Amino acid sequence: QVQVVESGGGLVQPGGSLIVSCAASGFTSDDFAIGWFRQAPGKAREGFLCSSSKDLSTYYADSVKGRFTIARDNAKNTVFLQMNSLKPEDTAVYSCAVRKPYIDPGSGVCPMEYEYPYWGQGTQVTVSS
């Protein structure tokens, strides 16, 4: 049984930083693919980051490129989303989703939401002064 637990998030001032973690358990190996999504009030959920496995490239949407990064603690099957230079428009519920590793086609296109079977509970990130 795969379980995904998020932690972190909260309130931060514009220009500030925040870390959200995503811990996945129940995989038969220590590797998994991950996608990060966010949903702002009144808007559709959008994916902004994906990584096909622990050893391969990570793709970032233009809206977060240069400001957000991820790091993995493979021993704990945990991925950390480091968010810097936060803006009010980054305010949203952030969710991580995981699946078995896949072969990265190198296109820079992330899997769709429905391709991730396991989701965290979501955590609120609010950027406001």
Side-chain angles (χ1 to χ4, degrees):
Q1 182 77 12
V2 175
Q3 291 187 323
V4 183
V5 178
E6 294 181 46
S7 60
L11 174 65
V12 64
Q13 293 187 342
S17 298
L18 209 59
I19 296 176
V20 175
S21 66
C22 177
S25 62
F27 281 100
T28 55
S29 74
D30 65 348
D31 194 8
F32 54 89
I34 188 166
W36 283 93
F37 299 81
R38 63 184 182 181
Q39 186 167 21
K43 295 186 177 181
R45 184 158 58 187
E46 65 162 339
F48 60 89
L49 182 160
C50 66
S51 178
S52 62
S53 78
K54 63 180 179 179
D55 298 321
L56 297 179
S57 299
T58 299
Y59 295 111
Y60 299 85
D62 289 342
S63 58
V64 305
K65 195 174 296 182
R67 300 187 299 123
F68 291 11
T69 61
I70 63 168
R72 289 187 183 238
D73 183 337
N74 295 324
K76 296 182 179 180
N77 277 7
T78 300
V79 177
F80 300 94
L81 174 65
Q82 173 75 51
M83 301 181 287
N84 300 323
S85 302
L86 283 161
K87 306 173 183 179
E89 52 263 44
D90 292 318
T91 295
V93 175
Y94 284 69
S95 300
C96 64
V98 302
R99 53 172 282 179
K100 291 181 180 179
Y102 59 92
I103 297 175
D104 180 9
S107 63
V109 177
C110 290
M112 303 296 288
E113 291 183 36
Y114 68 86
E115 297 182 89
Y116 291 97
Y118 309 109
W119 288 73
Q121 77 278 15
T123 187
Q124 178 69 45
V125 172
T126 302
V127 185
S128 174
S129 55

